[in-house]
Amino acid sequence: MSTVDGIAEDPLAGSSISYAGKSVLVAGAGISGRSAAAALLAEGAAVTVTDSAPERFGGLDAGIGTAVGLTAPPEGTDLVVTSPGWRPTSPLLVAAAERGIEVIGEVEFAWRLAQRRPNPPAWLAVTGTNGKTTTVTMLTSILRAAGVNAVACGNVGLPVVAAVRGGYDVLAVELSSFQLHWSSSLRMNASAVVNVAEDHLDWHGSIEEYAAAKGRIHAGSGVAIYNADDAWSTKLSEGKDRRVGFTLGEPGPGQLGVRGDALVDRAFGDGTVLADVADVNPPGPYNVANALAAAALARAHGVPAEAVGKGLRDFTPNPHRSVLVAEHEGVRWIDDSKATNPHAAAASLATHDRVVWIAGGLLKGAVVDDLVAGAADRLAGVVLLGADRAVIADALARHAPEVPVHEVTAGDHGAMTEVVRAARAMARPGDVVLLAPAAASMDMFEDYPHRGRVFAEAVKELTDRAG
């Protein structure tokens, strides 16, 4: 069996392997690591979990061993299952590869478990820089509207191992580039790359390596779904046995797209109307694209057209994704804390005509000049916070020198009160104050939901005080 970066390439790799009596090291005690450890223990493996933060070991199942900060697998280790955020250059994973110990991710382990079932679940998978979660949750809503026993899992929250063990018929799987890096035997029933833009370059090293990780989702896929409006997405689908595109324009043969005010299907139907554009929530072009990707995945699974429309109408957006927090004195306050990179922020800004933009955090090596230049004529003002705020400030000085900018220098989440006050001073009736940071949150917050909650709390405090 051949391997790439220590990962098995055989599409049925591990499907007949018994884990009973095997010694398995799980790298990372987060959600996915815990799920993998519990499943391995149930399979009869001897399981050890390592993490640099021993406080994360609390609540692990009885019988699971722990070790703080291992830099090499213990003697006798048969397999390492890594959490997705661990880089290939991590000393532990390098040491495992040097000793010939296979390293896989939680998703790869879930795939192997699934293949051992008499009737494995169908996998409909999504990756991309932005819109993954929205697409997967839209897809789940559509599948359930068709009466399918389906669940959203993966990077959306529920570990894939837990979904496999839950006995669902269809898995709507959100996969990050990290998860795909540590997987190679996945063979999806249908897969979609919704878009690719610069992100996580500090982890992958280049846009090419990042895109290559995304492209792994199509390996052996029954239907490779691509965004015809996105060059990278299109490129990654080339050469696949069956390709289906989606576009915000009029669809050609083999594509889904928009005709007038309707979403139509020319891939699985002859111009079949699936839904109205007005059925898509939140509104905006990038969410229409997400809806088309979700529809393509559902149609690849045989879902009827009427279920697509019903699923989109029933869909409730997740928190922190273009959610209206408040409307006060003619100003709308919107939380799009999920816009954690420039590509997502650009899409969010493009939805509004005049914006006071709240931005900043950890840019992860991304460049913001195109984002700022493209949004300059929409900006009524900008409030910056976070570790890399100076990078955005410099881009604003180059591309939007007339736009007023306020920098908040405090480095804790209490700074959000000052951010909100500064934004209110810049806004006038009819404006949108938009939290779309274009950056990750971990410099000041636990994660992007925490950032969004703190923003909403600060807005509520301001508007309550103003009456």
Side-chain angles (χ1 to χ4, degrees):
M1 179 170 58
S2 62
T3 62
V4 175
D5 294 334
I7 308 172
E9 288 188 303
D10 181 350
L12 295 179
S15 61
S16 61
I17 293 175
S18 171
Y19 294 95
K22 300 292 184 182
S23 179
V24 183
L25 178 64
V26 175
I31 294 173
S32 64
R34 287 170 174 271
S35 182
L40 284 159
L41 186 68
E43 291 284 318
V47 185
T48 300
V49 176
T50 185
D51 197 289
S52 60
E55 63 271 15
R56 303 179 78 187
F57 294 146
L60 285 170
D61 290 356
I64 296 174
T66 60
V68 179
L70 289 181
T71 57
E75 288 299 321
T77 298
D78 298 303
L79 175 71
V80 175
V81 178
T82 181
S83 298
W86 285 54
R87 302 186 186 197
T89 55
S90 299
L92 172 64
L93 305 185
V94 170
E98 288 175 346
R99 286 166 48 182
I101 300 171
E102 187 180 19
V103 179
I104 64 173
E106 176 259 340
V107 175
E108 177 74 17
F109 173 56
W111 170 261
R112 297 181 183 192
L113 285 183
Q115 303 319 299
R116 297 170 61 186
R117 292 178 173 271
N119 296 297
W123 290 50
L124 307 177
V126 178
T127 194
T129 303
N130 299 302
K132 298 185 295 295
T133 300
T134 299
T135 301
V136 160
T137 48
M138 282 178 170
L139 170 60
T140 307
S141 182
I142 292 169
L143 290 166
R144 290 176 177 171
V148 177
N149 178 27
V151 69
C153 59
N155 202 49
V156 71
L158 179 69
V160 187
V161 165
V164 167
R165 298 177 78 195
Y168 295 93
D169 296 328
V170 179
L171 307 185
V173 190
E174 177 186 336
L175 295 175
S176 70
S177 58
F178 306 151
Q179 289 168 315
L180 284 162
H181 177 89
W182 295 116
S183 304
S184 70
S185 71
L186 308 183
R187 298 295 183 264
M188 305 303 177
N189 296 75
S191 54
V193 178
V194 289
N195 49 59
V196 178
E198 286 190 350
D199 199 14
H200 301 300
L201 300 191
D202 54 343
W203 200 95
H204 290 282
S206 69
I207 183 66
E208 290 77 15
E209 290 297 320
Y210 173 62
K214 294 289 189 188
R216 279 186 158 184
I217 200 170
H218 290 322
S221 176
V223 182
I225 295 163
Y226 67 96
N227 183 347
D229 303 329
D230 184 278
W232 271 112
S233 176
T234 301
K235 181 178 179 180
L236 293 172
S237 72
E238 291 173 352
K240 306 307 176 185
D241 290 340
R242 185 172 186 198
R243 302 168 68 227
V244 168
F246 64 91
T247 175
L248 290 175
E250 175 78 27
Q255 294 184 338
L256 286 76
V258 179
R259 178 182 298 150
D261 294 325
L263 276 59
V264 297
D265 179 2
R266 296 189 64 193
F268 305 96
D270 186 16
T272 305
V273 174
L274 302 174
D276 294 335
V277 170
D279 292 332
V280 177
N281 183 36
Y286 65 111
N287 280 317
V288 172
N290 295 335
L292 288 165
L297 286 160
R299 295 286 278 166
H301 189 65
V303 168
E306 56 270 21
V308 174
K310 184 177 187 307
L312 291 176
R313 289 188 293 274
D314 291 347
F315 172 68
T316 301
N318 287 333
H320 316 296
R321 292 167 178 83
S322 296
V323 174
L324 179 65
V325 171
E327 186 165 358
H328 184 72
E329 296 179 348
V331 176
R332 298 170 66 224
W333 298 79
I334 293 179
D335 169 14
D336 198 0
S337 183
K338 182 62 170 67
T340 57
N341 55 63
H343 188 264
S348 191
L349 285 161
T351 306
H352 310 287
D353 293 329
R354 183 178 152 89
V355 179
V356 176
W357 179 32
I358 300 172
L362 294 171
L363 287 170
K364 302 170 291 183
V367 177
V368 296
D369 285 81
D370 289 347
L371 163 64
V372 171
D377 61 352
R378 300 175 183 273
L379 298 178
V382 180
V383 184
L384 298 175
L385 75 166
D388 291 334
R389 64 185 181 275
V391 177
I392 304 175
D394 289 346
L396 286 160
R398 288 190 294 274
H399 303 291
E402 303 303 318
V403 174
V405 177
H406 180 94
E407 290 193 49
V408 175
T409 59
D412 58 67
H413 67 252
M416 193 62 83
T417 299
E418 182 184 344
V419 167
V420 166
R421 288 174 180 165
R424 182 63 189 93
M426 293 178 176
R428 69 188 190 196
D431 287 352
V432 167
V433 177
L434 176 66
L435 174 67
S441 57
M442 289 78 74
D443 56 332
M444 295 174 64
F445 306 93
E446 295 172 8
D447 47 28
Y448 77 81
H450 180 215
R451 177 170 60 190
R453 291 193 301 272
V454 171
F455 170 71
E457 290 165 3
V459 171
K460 184 176 187 303
E461 181 183 353
L462 176 73
T463 55
D464 284 353
R465 186 182 299 117

